[in-house]
């Protein structure tokens, strides 16, 4: 079973410190599984760590997090070569694809070399829920501010474009991102841009933003639009997700 329509959950969260593990899946990862409709069996989740170079220590942490959550986890590695014989088949067999944060610029370059841009579009259209955090959020949009090129934020405008908006992540914790989003929207470099505070996720059915959700209280989501030569920001109040069972 997969989602009944193309679904993306783009987030600035999803991980927390576990009780017995270094990493546990927080409410946003569990919500991605709920959106997939995977019930009555162990959900199938693919972890994609391209943005941190397929760091093996973090794959191990995510594998432990999946064990605790009761998910079947399939890591997709692209370094030094794909670890799966049939990458497309494996992706299409998942309920959820969860993309780790890191360098969104490097992620996109490596994905395109291996045809993942086409594969993920097929999976999205087939009802596999596409999700992730930070770089794993920006990648589904037109682009957004990134520190992929160095400590100074720079605009990235050639992401996968499944969603026809810009994306601003870590909107409350990285103080440079809000002014850069507003400047890029005001200058017409980014289109209407959807942003998330840490712990917040944006739910899309097709290309329509249908809901903002959060695993932390007091957090917000935002829509930034261009009016004349200025950017105007509207705050959305996210729905609080139930905490996952520990």
């Amino acid at each position: 079973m997969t989602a009944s329509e193309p679904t993306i959950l783009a987030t600035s969260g999803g991980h927390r410190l576990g009780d017995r593990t270094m990493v546990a899946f927080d409410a946003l990862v569990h919500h991605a599984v709920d959106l997939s409709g995977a019930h009555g069996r162990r959900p199938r989740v693919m972890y994609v760590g391209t943005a941190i170079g397929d760091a093996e220590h973090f794959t191990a942490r995510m594998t432990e997090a999946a064990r605790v959550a009761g998910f079947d986890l399939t890591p997709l590695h692209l370094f030094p070569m794909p670890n799966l014989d049939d990458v497309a088949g494996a992706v299409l067999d998942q309920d959820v694809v969860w993309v780790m944060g890191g360098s969104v610029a490097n992620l996109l370059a490596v994905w395109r070399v291996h045809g993942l841009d086409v594969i993920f579009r097929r999976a999205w259209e087939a009802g596999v829920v596409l999700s992730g955090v930070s770089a794993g959020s920006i990648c589904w949009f037109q682009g957004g501010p990134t520190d992929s090129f160095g400590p100074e934020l720079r605009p990235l405008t050639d992401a996968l474009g499944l969603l026809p908006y810009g994306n601003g992540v870590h909107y409350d914790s990285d103080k440079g991102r809000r002014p850069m989003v507003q400047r890029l929207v005001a200058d017409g470099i980014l289109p209407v841009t959807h942003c998330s505070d840490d712990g917040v996720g944006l739910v899309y059915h097709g290309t329509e933003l249908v809901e903002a959700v959060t695993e932390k209280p007091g957090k917000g989501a935002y829509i930034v639009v261009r009016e004349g030569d200025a950017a105007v920001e509207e705050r959305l109040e996210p729905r609080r997700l139930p905490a996952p069972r520990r």
Side-chain angles (χ1 to χ4, degrees), residues 31-163:
H31 191 55
V33 169
D34 289 342
L35 289 169
S36 77
H39 303 296
R41 59 169 173 80
R42 290 173 65 87
R44 296 187 294 270
V45 177
M46 175 171 280
Y47 165 68
V48 185
T50 318
I52 52 172
D54 294 335
E56 292 185 5
H57 73 282
F58 209 84
T59 300
R61 292 176 182 177
M62 295 295 277
T63 300
E64 279 291 280
R67 178 187 61 78
V68 172
F71 303 160
D72 286 338
L73 191 84
T74 298
L76 173 60
H77 292 166
L78 300 174
F79 296 93
M81 66 181 71
N83 64 323
L84 303 170
D85 288 336
D86 180 5
V87 173
V91 171
L92 288 163
D93 193 44
Q94 304 304 307
D95 299 304
V96 174
V97 170
W98 181 265
V99 179
M100 184 57 192
S103 172
V104 66
N106 291 353
L107 171 154
L108 290 165
V110 174
W111 280 5
R112 285 171 170 140
V113 165
H114 291 278
L116 264 295
D117 50 343
V118 175
I119 291 170
F120 284 142
R121 178 175 287 276
R122 286 179 57 197
W124 176 62
E125 292 171 345
V128 178
V129 174
L130 303 182
S131 192
V133 55
S134 195
S137 173
I138 297 170
C139 62
W140 312 121
F141 292 81
Q142 297 289 330
T146 178
D147 55 7
S148 295
F149 306 104
E152 297 293 327
L153 290 170
R154 289 171 52 182
L156 181 138
T157 58
D158 64 343
L160 296 188
L162 300 181
L163 299 172

Side-chain angles (χ1 to χ4, degrees), residues 11 19 31 49 83 107 111-112 149 159 172 181 194 217 227 246:
T11 88
D19 294 331
H31 191 55
N83 64 323
L107 171 154
W111 280 5
R112 285 171 170 140
F149 306 104
D172 60 335
V181 163
H194 298 172
E227 292 189 4
R246 294 178 181 264

Side-chain angles (χ1 to χ4, degrees), residues 147-216:
D147 55 7
S148 295
F149 306 104
E152 297 293 327
L153 290 170
R154 289 171 52 182
L156 181 138
T157 58
D158 64 343
L160 296 188
L162 300 181
L163 299 172
Y165 316 105
N167 183 221
V169 296
H170 308 305
Y171 207 56
D172 60 335
S173 62
D174 186 338
K175 300 306 180 184
R177 292 184 186 261
R178 178 180 250 124
M180 174 163 272
V181 163
Q182 295 190 1
R183 185 167 66 252
L184 294 175
V185 171
D187 292 345
I189 296 170
L190 286 179
V192 172
T193 295
H194 298 172
C195 306
S196 56
D197 286 345
D198 284 357
V200 172
L202 305 170
V203 181
Y204 298 84
H205 290 161
T207 59
E208 179 184 359
L209 174 62
V210 296
E211 187 178 28
V213 294
T214 183
E215 58 198 11
K216 296 180 179 181

